[in-house]
Amino acid sequence: MLFAICVLGLVGAAVGQNQPCGVPSVQPITNRIVGGQIAVPGSWPWMVLLVDDLGFIAGSGVVIDQHVILTSAQHFEGPGFSLYDLDLHYWRAYAGEYNISVTDPHEKYYRVKRVVPHPGYNYTSLENDIALVITTQPILWNDHTMPACLPDATHTYNIGEVCYLPGWGSTASTGNEEVLNQVDLPILDDSVCQQEFPVFLTNTEICAGYKNQGKDWCGDDIGSPLMCKDQNGAWYVQGLASSGGDCVKADQPSVFEDVPQYSDWIKNTMEQAGYPYQY
């Protein structure tokens, strides 16, 4: 991620299984900044680092249930490979992660039981670029691992609202790539992305970011959540990082899947998997 900020990894007592969604024990830094910055450890406790069967970072995801991670479908289906080619037994989802170069005191990995891409996902157009990762073991709640809130279909946002994208992607030599970073991204009118990207889908995608401001995210941030803070003080997954321009140039806005538009599919799929949404 270009110009980001880190978050995850604090000292804290165990949190009960009735842990509310979207309420971190450590508040993220949300002042406006040039570029981005390293996140405060523990401030994005729903962030998950996805590592593939070869040990490479595939991208990020966001915890929404003790067995369910929300992420991008393009981790599992793309040109020349499909979900059925992957050995999911060797994939890992690291929760409580902060610094990828060391073993953080609160990190714990979880094995992947099953991946459910959206049935309408198209890896060419990136339409419906969303998937659920079902873990084998329950994800344990604590001060560094908590669920984010899933917005329903009526959950709205305002143009100009500033949201945040945390992740471990490249900073294009602008920051420390070993730790979790975050970048502030305002939500833009759809017309901005329609001009930049002719294939932008207004019904299911969100436009957010900047033009020529040096702020962006990179490939390893795919699947990272666009987190927006609601009036009730809780953080919601408003979008999922899907596509954009050249992050080294950082001169274009980005495209995110509009998570509220998928709320019914997410909840129905969770129910069918035996893990009904709790919030």
Side-chain angles (χ1 to χ4, degrees), residues 141-197:
W141 299 151
N142 55 57
D143 282 349
H144 299 269
T145 304
M146 302 177 188
C149 294
L150 178 68
D152 61 28
T154 64
H155 199 271
T156 59
Y157 53 84
N158 298 313
I159 304 302
E161 179 178 353
V162 178
C163 302
Y164 294 82
L165 182 127
W168 288 275
S170 172
T171 64
S173 300
T174 65
N176 186 348
E177 299 185 2
E178 301 302 304
V179 296
L180 185 64
N181 282 256
Q182 71 183 51
V183 64
D184 59 296
L185 301 172
I187 294 179
L188 305 176
D189 189 82
D190 287 347
S191 62
V192 178
C193 279
Q194 284 179 302
Q195 291 178 336
E196 297 287 327
F197 312 110

Side-chain angles (χ1 to χ4, degrees), residues 7-11 40-45 96-99 104-107 143-145 180:
V7 184
L8 267 148
L10 270 169
V11 179
V40 177
S43 55
W44 304 110
E97 181 67 74
Y98 181 72
N99 187 329
D104 292 308
H106 300 283
E107 80 174 49
D143 282 349
H144 299 269
T145 304
L180 185 64

Side-chain angles (χ1 to χ4, degrees), residues 40-173:
V40 177
S43 55
W44 304 110
W46 35 80
M47 284 298 294
V48 171
L49 181 69
L50 297 174
V51 177
D52 67 18
D53 50 351
L54 297 177
F56 294 105
I57 295 176
S60 300
V62 54
V63 177
I64 58 173
D65 177 85
Q66 286 199 290
H67 279 275
V68 184
I69 296 165
L70 183 64
T71 189
S72 168
Q74 58 183 294
H75 295 317
F76 311 102
E77 300 274 354
F81 72 97
S82 74
L83 178 61
Y84 303 102
D85 300 324
L86 305 177
D87 193 342
L88 293 177
H89 176 74
Y90 291 104
W91 279 63
R92 300 286 186 270
Y94 286 84
E97 181 67 74
Y98 181 72
N99 187 329
I100 62 175
S101 65
V102 300
T103 300
D104 292 308
H106 300 283
E107 80 174 49
K108 180 175 173 56
Y109 74 78
Y110 297 88
R111 296 179 184 274
V112 175
K113 178 180 180 180
R114 181 184 173 202
V115 171
V116 187
H118 190 282
Y121 171 59
N122 183 313
Y123 65 73
T124 301
S125 66
L126 294 181
E127 184 176 7
N128 304 311
D129 182 19
I130 191 168
L132 297 183
V133 174
I134 311 298
T135 62
T136 302
Q137 314 123 289
I139 297 171
L140 301 179
W141 299 151
N142 55 57
D143 282 349
H144 299 269
T145 304
M146 302 177 188
C149 294
L150 178 68
D152 61 28
T154 64
H155 199 271
T156 59
Y157 53 84
N158 298 313
I159 304 302
E161 179 178 353
V162 178
C163 302
Y164 294 82
L165 182 127
W168 288 275
S170 172
T171 64
S173 300

